[in-house]
Amino acid sequence: QTPELRPPAAPIEAVARFAAPEPQVAALPIGAVVRVPAPELRPPQFDMPLWRLEGSQRDFIRLQAALMHLENDGEGARTDLLQVRRCLAEGGFLSDHVLWRAALSNYFGEGHASGGVSAALAVLDARLFACHGILIEDLLASTLRRWRDEPELLVAPETLAELRREIYGDSPFPVRRDSGGDLPEVSARRRQLIVERETQRMAMREYVQKQEQLTNAVGSAAGSRAKRVWTRWADGIANIVLKLRNSDMAMPTGRGSSRMKQLISDIAIEPEALGVLTCQAVLNQMLVPNYRRKERPEVGDPLSGLQRRAYVQSGSFVEEGDVQVPFVSVVCAVGEAVLLEDAWQRQTAEFGGGSKARGQIPFARLMMGRGQIGSTNEEKLNLIDLLLQVAEVEVKRESLSPKMRESLESAGRRTDGYFVSVPAFAHSVQRQSKTKSLGYLVLRSQAKAMMDLTQEDMLRFVAPKHRPMLVEPRRWKPSAEHPEGGFLMQPAPFIRTTDPSVTCLRWYSPQRVVQVMDSLGRTPWRINRRVLKVMEEVKRLDLAIADVPPNSDPTLRKWEEIEQEAHQNEVGPEGIKKLRIEHHNARKRKQELQSERPTFELKLQVAKDFANAPRLYFPHNVDFRGRTYPVPPHLNHISDDICRGLLVFAESKPLGKDGFFWLKVTLANLLGKNKIPFSERVALVDSQKELILAIARDPLADESVAFWSQADDGPWQALACCFELADAWNSGDPESHLCGQPVHLDGSCNGLQHYAALGRDHAGGTAVNLTPSDRPQDVYTVVLKIVKEKVEKHASAKLRKKPSGEDDLSDDDEEPVEQPEAAAQARKNKSRGTPTAVRKQNAERLIELGVLQRKVVKQTIMTICYGVTTVGARQQVLGQLEDMVGDQVDHGELKVLARYLAGLVLKSIDEVFERAMLIKSWFDTVSAMLNKLQRPTSWVSPIGLACVQPYKEKRFITVLTKQQQVSIADVDVKTVHKCKQRMGFPPNFIHSLDATHMMLVASACEREGVTFAGVHDSFWTHPATAAKLNVIIREAFIELHGRPILDEFREDIRVQLGGLEPPELPAQGELDLETV
């Protein structure tokens, strides 16, 4: 029979229960008549249906667990899919695409039917979604027809992989090559959930990729099989502790025995709980993949001589498959677990038992981390000795290696039975270097094989590398009972810190900051596919331009071979020196490529995976100062030029007259011409119109590459701007051209701008463009001019006479800095006490090399207000000198020159920004006063974020166990790190101000409907709205510094100091904020 299908009269249940004798489908063509049988299909019952996907983060996590169970049900998948195919094929849905789209519309619509067709779609959706990451709304008409003719099409892994590539290309994520036509609203969330599931799967694969036998051959203490093994060990520990407490057993003697006595007498935890805590802490360290855990290398694996000797010389032998963790890590884990349990029991006893006690105990007293292990608590760490004593497993005799059998027999154990008891753990001491040995706790492979880990267990320990989102991020709720925000199911912290207790999120609600983070996360992006194509081609051709690393390392021969060959060829000292410099640079470059190449590959791969996504979103969080960061780490707009060139706004807007102007200005800025008037920048770009059009046609032509790849401040962003300008010119109506390319409005040395505004410093503000001027001021050139004057003065200085009457430095002498003895002596001298002769030589050498350029001083000036130290400035200058003349000058000489030049740069900055340095000195004084009271420096930023510096002192605890002596580096929460607190406060306070400024701008842009993205002190928008953003930035800056920021902070400090009077603020200058 072929009953007529009619739309349902009323909405039906949210989840299709089961097939009805005559299923109904809504929105079918009038008069359509199909025959649909009623197979026994049982759609999976999810708390959150796949066709809706609405709920909390915890709901998504539960759905993920259900999908993983379904994914592991391989046997039922084939039967279900064959039944689904029969149902849909006989109903004509696989032949008629219109009918198929109507059925999908009904499946995702409000009138979700419970008939046979909807049941079939629910089963098909669940299977493809959970097992293969394919969405049924993405199935092509050709795919459905093939499935009609080939029943095994969606069953065989090979054909499924082929179909997935046909729909999504090579991307592991469900991002379609085409727009996909009309898709249900929930489709974007469905894609995002698959992205997060695949991201977790990738993270798990990274952990277990070296496991050959079973993907899940390792486990945690929470695993069901693991529990069956270690509960016996926990009982053994509990029995020993109980006997010791009841004096039914003689107290151990020898090494570590005094600690054991204190353990038994001082701690009030029940013996059973001690046993469980010990086993769980140890096994979680041993079985959960982490950077400390390592397995015994398999036979045939290459080992260095030192590594090979380590395994031979260890106190207890280590076999293939054994797992090792540094003994100190296990000691810390057990000690922390016991202490936290002890603290919890003491707190519950104080506040009363029961479930209500948890809500009554102050949050700060419950958040006890590793830093609260007191110096009197080392005795609680000796439980590992008991674990080693009782932990055994029974294995078949034939599974024992000869070495293990020999070890057991030498210890007096029987090995003649069918089952043999084997110690589950061993202690091994391995040599790490000629002077250092390290103790390991070893889990025998026989014990490890008895424990496994399900994927659900693994998810609790795996930290996935987040990818961009395909839907708007969830709104942040950082102060809720269950904090959530950002991703659908992957947790992410709202404040980036290693110490959650200092965030104070349980004590106040930072709603204004939360609103800004939500706003930033809602800015839509997409991949610039033209730039991506060029980048891939640059990599394929191995051009190694614009920060794309080469595909191979530079040739690096041994220095002994080079030196021997040079002597054979009678190469002179200068030639030897040149060869040494080349060898040093090649070795350094090879080391750099070890990180640059995989980092670039990660960025490129993420761009390729999401190249077809119409919209991408980056959820944002903040650090303790309020600075914002995108959560996805590999590809985001806050990263380097490669990432920025690959990203454009998803929404394009007409350029308009202002937008065309700002797009040209942006390109000129990227080319390094940002210190000339705007009109000259526009004229510069217009003069290169023909070249820019040629670049758009062939970006890899020699002339094209020479132009865009040499852009000072961003080659790939410059290429993206060239593409947009060429499109605008070619359109015939540039002002109507739709453009999504971001333009940047950057602060001029933003930290110094905030210092100038705080002190109302007119001279300093003029140097960093806070006052009107015909031409942009360049603070780097101002400082460089002073540095040059000092260098020239030193170079022309007259030399003093030695007592013997000879000059310190003769014109006929060789340059002392080229001699090892003179260079070493120069490095020992302090900057203020540098002899005139050496200072003169350094100055003359700098002039000779021609390195006194703007870029040499720029980085140090930029970071001076952020707390750069003398050592840091020296490294910054050294890096620039190496880039400029590293192939000409020996590294040792460069270090001497960098030390000299960095000192001059710092002195010159002090002269230009005298008032800013006075404020910085005031900050240092205030922080030192708080240090005396052992209080971390803290303040509330102008936007309302509580900022607490998390710097704590480390202390070392020496623990004596029966196995070895252990030194534990730990953090004492009661002791602040005085040096870090003092040095970190000035830059952190300024960072909180520029973060506040950015948030004020972001809030105003949201109110005005202006697309906004921020990179600390660089603000991005569409070219068409750049002029409006320009006004918003200035208004927000005046609003921020219109408040008496320093006065308010001084009043807060007076309260924190408990009656002590903070020093008076430095006198204010004459800068008028209204002129900014």
Side-chain angles (χ1 to χ4, degrees), residues 947-986:
C947 306
V948 183
Q949 294 194 143
Y951 311 127
K952 309 288 177 57
E953 279 281 8
K954 283 186 178 180
R955 63 188 178 88
F956 292 89
I957 304 171
T958 299
V959 180
L960 186 65
T961 73
K962 286 184 177 296
Q963 307 303 323
Q964 70 174 74
Q965 178 175 304
V966 176
S967 293
I968 304 171
D970 219 324
V971 177
D972 184 356
V973 297
K974 298 178 182 178
T975 305
V976 300
H977 194 298
K978 294 183 178 180
C979 181
K980 289 185 177 180
Q981 289 284 344
R982 182 180 60 81
M983 296 186 66
F985 174 51

Side-chain angles (χ1 to χ4, degrees), residues 752 859-868 906 909 917 920:
L752 290 173
Q859 189 176 9
T860 304
I861 298 171
M862 289 175 61
T863 56
I864 186 63
C865 52
Y866 298 134
V868 65
L906 292 176
I909 293 174
M917 296 302 105
K920 184 174 180 294

Side-chain angles (χ1 to χ4, degrees), residues 759-947:
R760 301 298 192 268
D761 182 4
H762 189 276
T766 300
V768 289
N769 293 297
L770 287 186
T771 58
S773 175
D774 295 335
R775 300 180 67 88
Q777 299 299 308
D778 186 6
V779 63
Y780 312 115
T781 303
V782 173
V783 174
L784 178 62
K785 181 180 178 181
I786 299 175
V787 171
K788 283 183 175 180
E789 292 174 354
K790 294 180 181 296
V791 171
E792 291 170 356
K793 180 179 178 181
H794 292 164
S796 60
K798 295 182 179 180
L799 299 178
R800 296 189 299 267
K801 297 289 184 178
K802 291 183 177 180
S804 60
E806 298 177 357
D807 288 341
D808 275 350
L809 180 66
S810 170
D811 293 340
D812 298 330
D813 290 341
E814 295 181 0
E815 290 287 351
V817 289
E818 296 181 7
Q819 303 301 323
E821 296 82 5
Q825 182 61 40
R827 287 192 294 271
K828 292 180 181 178
N829 293 325
K830 300 297 182 182
S831 59
R832 291 186 177 179
T834 302
T836 304
V838 176
R839 189 168 57 192
K840 178 181 177 67
Q841 296 163 25
N842 291 335
E844 291 174 345
R845 185 63 167 155
L846 289 173
I847 295 174
E848 176 189 348
L849 293 172
V851 295
L852 296 178
Q853 301 178 21
R854 180 177 180 270
K855 60 183 178 181
V856 175
V857 304
K858 179 177 179 180
Q859 189 176 9
T860 304
I861 298 171
M862 289 175 61
T863 56
I864 186 63
C865 52
Y866 298 134
V868 65
T869 62
T870 303
V871 175
R874 188 185 309 163
Q875 292 300 318
Q876 292 170 347
V877 174
L878 177 61
Q880 294 295 334
L881 293 179
E882 286 179 339
D883 291 342
M884 297 172 66
V885 294
D887 58 343
Q888 307 171 30
V889 183
D890 182 78
H891 183 69
E893 182 180 358
L894 286 180
K895 290 176 68 175
V896 175
L897 295 177
R899 183 175 181 275
Y900 164 72
L901 184 55
L904 296 184
V905 173
L906 292 176
K907 291 179 182 177
S908 302
I909 293 174
D910 289 347
E911 294 177 15
V912 177
F913 296 98
E914 181 180 359
R915 194 173 297 277
M917 296 302 105
L918 290 175
I919 296 176
K920 184 174 180 294
S921 178
W922 185 84
F923 285 152
D924 290 337
T925 303
V926 169
S927 183
M929 296 178 70
L930 291 171
N931 282 340
K932 291 180 180 179
L933 299 177
Q934 281 298 310
R935 293 184 59 86
T937 308
S938 60
W939 65 99
V940 177
S941 72
I943 204 168
L945 183 70
C947 306

Side-chain angles (χ1 to χ4, degrees), residues 43 52 72 102 121 246 290 294 410 501 505 508 583 671 679 789 831 846 848 907 959 962 984 1002 1023 1033 1053:
R52 189 174 62 197
N72 294 329
L121 290 178
N246 296 335
N290 59 75
K294 65 177 181 179
S410 64
S501 64
L505 291 177
Y508 82 109
H583 181 263
L671 294 173
S679 59
E789 292 174 354
S831 59
L846 289 173
E848 176 189 348
K907 291 179 182 177
V959 180
K962 286 184 177 296
I1033 290 172
I1053 289 297

Side-chain angles (χ1 to χ4, degrees), residues 170-203:
D170 294 328
S171 174
F173 308 116
V175 180
R176 292 191 58 164
R177 291 180 170 180
D178 54 27
S179 60
D182 295 331
L183 294 173
E185 182 181 353
V186 73
S187 183
R189 288 198 300 276
R190 286 159 55 84
R191 296 177 198 279
Q192 177 59 32
L193 181 57
I194 292 179
V195 168
E196 295 187 28
R197 296 188 75 237
E198 184 59 30
T199 300
Q200 285 187 332
R201 190 177 288 111
M202 290 177 178

Side-chain angles (χ1 to χ4, degrees), residues 207-224:
Y207 278 116
V208 299
Q209 62 182 351
K210 295 183 179 180
Q211 307 299 324
E212 288 192 353
Q213 296 181 351
L214 295 173
T215 304
N216 299 321
V218 297
S220 71
S224 57

